[in-house]
């Protein structure tokens, strides 16, 4: 057979195979469409049969009371079964017009409950979209001297501390109309300060002023912002209303972002410091969690043991004792170059109620020396009658009489040997 005829035969065989393959694909597609059509007709017939009996119409709740038929893809929700339905055609149902006010079960519950009880299918639960209440605007503790809002941002590259003075509320003004102003110090520098404008005739002034402090990044975390709020009387004399001390921590200044903060004003202690200095801290005991909390706030009038105070670092060591035996101790961070350091650090200890009669707290102010040595500048011991007297005993008893409340007091430091 000539080669030309062989080529024609091969081409014919290949063409036939391709045509057969095409016919198989087309027939498969037609078969699937035909099966889908039969299934749709069967589903419609089943639904129609379940909704009609002879020529009488059945309400939807009659068929949804029982178990769902296998051919029906959904059922009417229970909250909609008791409503009136009217026929649109032989196979369709529609809800009858009702009062424009929704039914009680369709309204979201006002009380806080589980999500399944709070909303029905097709409704929106407004509890999920509520903004948390800002308690800083409404909740003021008893005896509050006022509240101050401010912002803090530190620019690492420019080494600038940006402080925004936002507003104050509920200042305790004297008898005449209040005219407040605020002075800003960056402690331990007591000489230089920045001052806001005076707001006349208001106890809730709106400042919206910005201030800049130039401070190196190495020492910024050792600084403390002090806001001192004054009232300016008619003779232009300044009367102190309160102050806010805010230590600059690493976590507060991280990220080069602006942080808005609020603090309550506290009265400045007008008493002169004691011989070895004074320490202010808070005590609180939670009898449910068996937790004893100590908040070391600040110290004043410390007698540092070196002339060059810029290289002096001072910390506070808090020790829990039981029967004069050491249980656990924790330390604050060290503050450089100040005889009036501010800490505002919180520590917690586990203590059973039965142990409080034999337990005590020892707070020692330490100055770091060369190497790993530490020199003690003074000490305060608070506890029951077995270990403490006077203000230290009163502080401990007040803590026990007011569970879960912070009790704040100043204490004079004691030293066994005078340096």
């Amino acid at each position: 057979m000539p080669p030309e005829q062989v080529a024609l035969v091969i081409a014919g065989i290949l063409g036939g195979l391709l045509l057969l393959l095409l016919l198989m694909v087309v027939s498969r597609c037609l078969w699937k469409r035909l099966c889908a059509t039969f299934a749709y007709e069967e589903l419609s017939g089943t639904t129609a049969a379940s909704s009609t009996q002879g020529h009488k119409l059945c309400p939807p709740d009659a068929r949804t009371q029982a178990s769902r038929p296998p051919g029906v893809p959904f059922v009417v929700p229970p909250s909609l079964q008791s409503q009136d339905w009217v026929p649109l055609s032989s196979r369709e149902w529609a809800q009858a017009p009702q009062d424009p006010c929704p039914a009680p079960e369709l309204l979201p519950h006002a009380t806080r409950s589980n999500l399944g009880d709070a909303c029905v299918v097709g409704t929106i639960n407004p509890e999920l979209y509520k903004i948390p209440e800002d308690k800083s605007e409404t909740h003021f503790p008893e005896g509050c001297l006022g509240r101050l809002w401010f912002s803090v941002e530190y620019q690492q590259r420019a080494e600038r501390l940006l402080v925004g003075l936002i507003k104050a509320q509920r200042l305790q003004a004297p008898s005449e109309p209040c005219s407040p102003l605020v002075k800003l110090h960056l402690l331990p520098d007591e000489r230089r300060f920045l001052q806001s404008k005076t707001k006349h005739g208001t106890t809730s002034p709106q400042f919206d002023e910005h201030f800049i402090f130039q401070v190196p990044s190495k020492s910024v975390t050792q600084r403390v912002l002090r806001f001192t709020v004054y009232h300016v009387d008619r003779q232009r004399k300044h009367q102190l209303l309160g102050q806010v001390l805010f230590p600059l921590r690493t976590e507060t200044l991280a990220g080069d972002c602006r942080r808005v903060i609020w603090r309550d004003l506290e009265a400045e202690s007008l008493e002169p410091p004691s011989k070895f200095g004074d320490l202010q801290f808070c005590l609180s005991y939670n009898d449910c969690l068996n937790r004893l909390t100590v908040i070391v706030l600040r110290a004043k009038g410390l007698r540092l043991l070196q002339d060059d105070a810029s290289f002096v670092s001072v910390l506070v060591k808090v020790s829990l004792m039981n029967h004069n035996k050491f249980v656990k101790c924790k330390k604050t961070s060290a503050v450089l170059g100040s005889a009036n350091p501010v800490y505002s650090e919180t520590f917690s200890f586990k203590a059973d109620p039965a142990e409080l009669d034999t337990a005590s707290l020892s707070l020692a102010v330490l100055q770091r020396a060369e190497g790993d040595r530490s020199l003690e500048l003074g000490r305060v011991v608070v506890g029951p009658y077995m270990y403490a007297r006077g203000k230290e005993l009163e502080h401990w008893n007040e803590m026990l009489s007011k569970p879960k409340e912070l009790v704040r007091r100043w204490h004079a430091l004691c030293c066994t040997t005078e340096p």
Side-chain angles (χ1 to χ4, degrees):
M1 182 179 294
E4 297 177 356
Q5 295 181 358
V6 173
L8 290 175
V9 172
I10 294 175
I13 294 174
L14 293 176
L17 291 175
L18 292 175
L19 181 59
L20 180 61
L21 182 61
L22 181 61
L23 290 175
M24 292 176 62
V25 172
V26 171
S27 60
R28 182 176 179 84
C29 293
L30 292 175
W31 175 255
K32 287 184 176 181
R33 183 175 297 180
L34 187 61
C35 292
T37 303
F38 286 150
Y40 175 76
E41 291 179 355
E42 182 180 357
L43 177 61
S44 302
T46 305
T47 310
S50 62
S51 61
T52 57
Q53 293 180 357
H55 294 286
K56 296 181 180 180
L57 299 174
C58 292
D61 55 353
R63 68 174 183 271
T64 55
Q65 295 280 344
S67 60
R68 177 171 64 89
V72 180
F74 65 91
V75 295
V76 179
S79 60
L80 302 178
Q81 293 177 6
S82 60
Q83 302 185 16
D84 298 331
W85 295 76
V86 295
L88 291 178
S89 63
S90 59
R91 294 186 179 183
E92 298 181 17
W93 290 84
Q95 186 177 355
Q98 296 180 350
D99 188 16
C101 296
E105 60 263 26
L106 297 180
L107 294 175
H109 295 279
T111 57
R112 295 182 179 178
S113 57
N114 295 332
L115 184 59
D117 299 333
C119 60
V120 187
V121 177
T123 63
I124 297 177
N125 183 15
E127 296 290 334
L128 301 178
Y129 301 93
K130 281 188 176 181
I131 301 176
E133 181 186 1
D134 186 7
K135 296 184 179 181
S136 65
E137 301 281 351
T138 56
H139 292 69
F140 290 85
E142 185 178 356
C144 180
L145 300 178
R147 186 165 292 173
L148 187 70
W149 280 261
F150 57 93
S151 64
V152 176
E153 179 183 358
Y154 184 70
Q155 296 179 347
Q156 193 76 22
R157 294 183 178 180
E159 293 188 338
R160 296 192 307 173
L161 179 66
L162 308 181
V163 182
L165 184 61
I166 302 175
K167 63 179 180 180
Q169 284 189 5
R170 295 199 179 186
L171 298 178
Q172 300 299 317
S175 57
E176 59 183 88
C178 184
S179 298
L181 67 83
V182 181
K183 291 183 180 180
L184 291 81
H185 290 82
L186 190 59
L187 303 178
D189 189 358
E190 295 274 1
R191 300 178 182 178
R192 301 178 183 179
F193 65 89
L194 301 177
Q195 181 174 312
S196 71
K197 297 179 181 178
T198 304
K199 303 295 180 178
H200 297 281
T202 176
T203 58
S204 299
Q206 193 80 23
F207 294 100
D208 294 327
E209 299 184 41
H210 301 276
F211 307 90
I212 299 177
F213 291 94
Q214 198 73 33
V215 52
S217 57
K218 295 181 180 180
S219 61
V220 66
T221 56
Q222 302 293 333
R223 300 297 187 93
V224 178
L225 268 175
R226 183 173 71 184
F227 301 87
T228 312
V229 184
Y230 294 93
H231 161 64
V232 183
D233 59 15
R234 294 176 182 178
Q235 288 77 29
R236 295 186 179 181
K237 294 182 179 180
H238 292 181
Q239 300 179 13
L240 180 63
L241 300 181
Q243 67 175 0
V244 171
L245 294 173
F246 182 73
L248 299 176
R249 305 295 183 192
T250 304
E251 58 273 11
T252 307
L253 305 178
D256 291 345
C257 60
R258 178 173 177 265
R259 300 177 184 271
V260 178
I261 306 158
W262 61 267
R263 290 288 187 273
D264 287 338
L265 298 181
E266 57 184 28
E268 185 178 13
S269 177
L270 302 178
E271 297 181 1
S274 60
K275 184 177 181 180
F276 299 103
D278 298 272
L279 183 66
Q280 186 187 37
F281 56 91
C282 297
L283 294 180
S284 176
Y285 183 70
N286 191 326
D287 50 359
C288 297
L289 302 178
N290 296 341
R291 184 173 61 193
L292 179 62
T293 302
V294 184
I295 303 179
V296 181
L297 296 176
R298 58 183 178 271
K300 66 176 182 179
L302 300 179
R303 298 181 59 182
L304 304 180
L305 304 181
Q306 293 182 6
D307 296 334
D308 190 359
S310 59
F311 297 98
V312 173
S313 61
V314 182
L315 57 91
V316 179
K317 178 181 177 182
V318 185
S319 303
L320 177 64
M321 313 291 290
N322 195 350
H323 289 289
N324 289 329
K325 294 182 179 179
F326 171 79
V327 178
K328 195 172 185 179
C329 78
K330 298 181 180 181
K331 298 179 181 179
T332 66
S333 56
V335 176
L336 291 176
S338 176
N340 304 297
V342 179
Y343 299 99
S344 296
E345 298 187 28
T346 305
F347 307 100
S348 296
F349 301 92
K350 278 287 184 180
D352 295 332
E355 298 176 353
L356 296 180
D357 293 335
T358 57
S360 63
L361 282 171
S362 174
L363 292 90
V365 181
L366 306 177
Q367 175 183 333
R368 285 182 177 173
E370 297 180 358
D372 296 333
R373 296 187 306 110
S374 296
L375 304 176
E376 183 175 315
L377 302 179
R379 178 184 296 268
V380 176
V381 177
V382 292
Y385 187 79
M386 185 184 302
Y387 307 103
R389 299 289 190 276
K391 293 183 178 180
E392 289 73 27
L393 176 61
E394 293 176 2
H395 197 176
W396 185 268
N397 291 335
E398 188 176 358
M399 175 197 70
L400 297 179
S401 63
K402 299 178 180 179
K404 303 178 184 179
E405 291 187 17
L406 289 174
V407 182
R408 177 173 57 186
R409 284 200 178 186
W410 281 99
H411 293 276
L413 296 175
C414 300
C415 192
T416 54
T417 57
E418 185 174 347

